Amino acid sequence: MNTYGLDHILLSTLDTKFKTIAQKVLDGERISFDEGVFLYEKGELAYLGSLANYIKEQRYGDKVFFNRNFHVEPTNICVFDCKFCSYSRLLKQKSEGWELSEEEILQIVRNYEGKPITEVHIVGGVHPKMGLHYFASLIKKVKEIRPDIHVKAFTAVELEYMCRKAKVSYREGLQILKDHGQDSLPGGGAEIFDETVRAEICNDKCTSEQWLEMHRTAHQLGMPSNATMLYGHIESFENRVDHMNRLRNLQDETGGFNTFIPLKYRNGNNQMSHINEVSTIEDLRNYAIGRIYMDNFGHVKAYWPMIGRQTAQMSLAFGVDDIDGTIDDSTKIYSMAGAEDQNPALSTEELVGLIKEVGRHPIERDTIYNTVTDYMDYDFAAEKEAVN
Ligand code: V47
Ligand code: SF4
């Protein structure tokens, strides 16, 4: 196990605050809100990386997880108007939007027949006409085509709107979706929980309290979920720590979150395009502080279509243990915001190569982190020969 750097950090002439934090990490103790802010303000990349990598390697050694998934984005028509969103179109701009029919969506699922995909990720804009019962029936049909697939669907923003329109409680709405085959919730829509920032960047969608309550209810019903944080726009370091703190508190209560996913704000084609994007160094610092602060989260994910393949590779030395999935060019959310990867798709062989190239051990997982295949010594050439 590689714990390089830690002893050096503790023995060197560091400021006492840095030593206290490093000692806490070594002892498996939680850091405080103020210490989180201190790390953002003063923590240098090498120091943060050593601590975050220590935590990651204590848990998983060199292992890095990924899955085989595809996205379905039923529509980009959205009743909300988030200032950072490059993807949505209001109903009045319908000509620039898309609305897939139920048959088109099911055809996407059928196209994966026979392929060893374990997850479908369904999210989109909040369409006024696609409601709770429509989506419940859609999920049931998806499961009829692929009973084995894990359906990770609908952000808390979509779910809050669906429940409100259908006049049901969060519990009733989620139970209906679960009964029709929805397995878990993705982490989107969290953005930044601080109410002042939220009012500036996404003032008309679900509140922070509603987001947290939707995830709390899902966890109580046995549906796990993820949690995102949109960083690098107008928020302060305190706002980032406050965001992580609210998630850490909920995780203490329910234990239902799988993965923390920091999402870098991309400034292409949206109403906040005047804001510069943060540097790659800040991305890596942010992953590392996320790993250090979120001690009760199992996993930290770098979403490669958003930050690009090389930063995703680097993030594996900064506390990240997961780089999402093969995706198969099935999402438009980031390419429309100017992300590195305009056609995000990686074959399993490419994803495995990416992880191995930086000396890590690739593990294909399912959505809830059961191992599907250990790819360390996997022979792709033999697999190809067997198929031919
Ligand atoms: O909530 C929108 C973000 C999220 C931009 O749970 C933007 O496994 C950056 O949550 N720049 C939706 N980000 C996507 C999402 C997600 C993605 C991958 C995996 C999982 C998971 C969840 O996308 C939104 C918002 O925070 N987003 N616009 C932008 N310009
Ligand atoms: Fe709609 Fe989601 Fe875009 Fe906000 S981020 S405008 S809720 S699609």
Side-chain angles (χ1 to χ4, degrees), residues 66-69 303-304 322-327 346 351 365:
F66 70 95
N67 73 347
R68 293 208 212 193
N69 63 352
Y303 189 53
W304 67 262
D322 189 305
I323 52 172
D324 204 79
T326 42
I327 295 174
L346 282 175
L351 207 48
R365 59 162 176 89

Side-chain angles (χ1 to χ4, degrees), residues 69 71 82-87 119 121 123 152 155 157 185-191 205 211 225-231 259 261 263-270 277 301 303 305-306 324 327 331 333-334 336-338 365:
N69 63 352
H71 288 224
C82 303
K83 303 283 173 276
F84 54 81
C85 184
S86 323
Y87 161 87
E119 174 190 281
H121 180 161
V123 284
K152 179 174 81 180
T155 65
V157 175
L185 277 56
E191 322 313 357
K205 73 181 181 189
W211 191 99
S225 70
N226 293 333
T228 56
M229 172 172 80
L230 182 71
Y231 69 93
T259 312
I261 313 168
L263 294 173
K264 177 195 183 107
Y265 165 67
R266 307 301 312 241
N267 67 5
N269 311 311
N270 62 49
E277 293 178 2
K301 185 193 283 189
Y303 189 53
M306 163 84 79
D324 204 79
I327 295 174
T331 175
I333 297 182
Y334 303 107
M336 289 172 81
R365 59 162 176 89

Side-chain angles (χ1 to χ4, degrees), residues 1-6 25 49-65 291 298 315-321 358-361:
M1 199 158 289
N2 177 9
T3 58
Y4 64 84
L6 264 201
V25 168
S50 298
L51 294 187
N53 192 49
Y54 173 79
I55 298 169
K56 188 257 165 199
E57 293 198 351
Q58 282 287 308
R59 294 184 186 205
Y60 309 114
D62 278 343
K63 286 182 181 163
V64 171
F65 303 97
R291 180 61 286 173
S315 74
L316 301 181
F318 291 85
V320 166
D321 64 276
V358 288
R360 303 278 166 166
H361 178 154

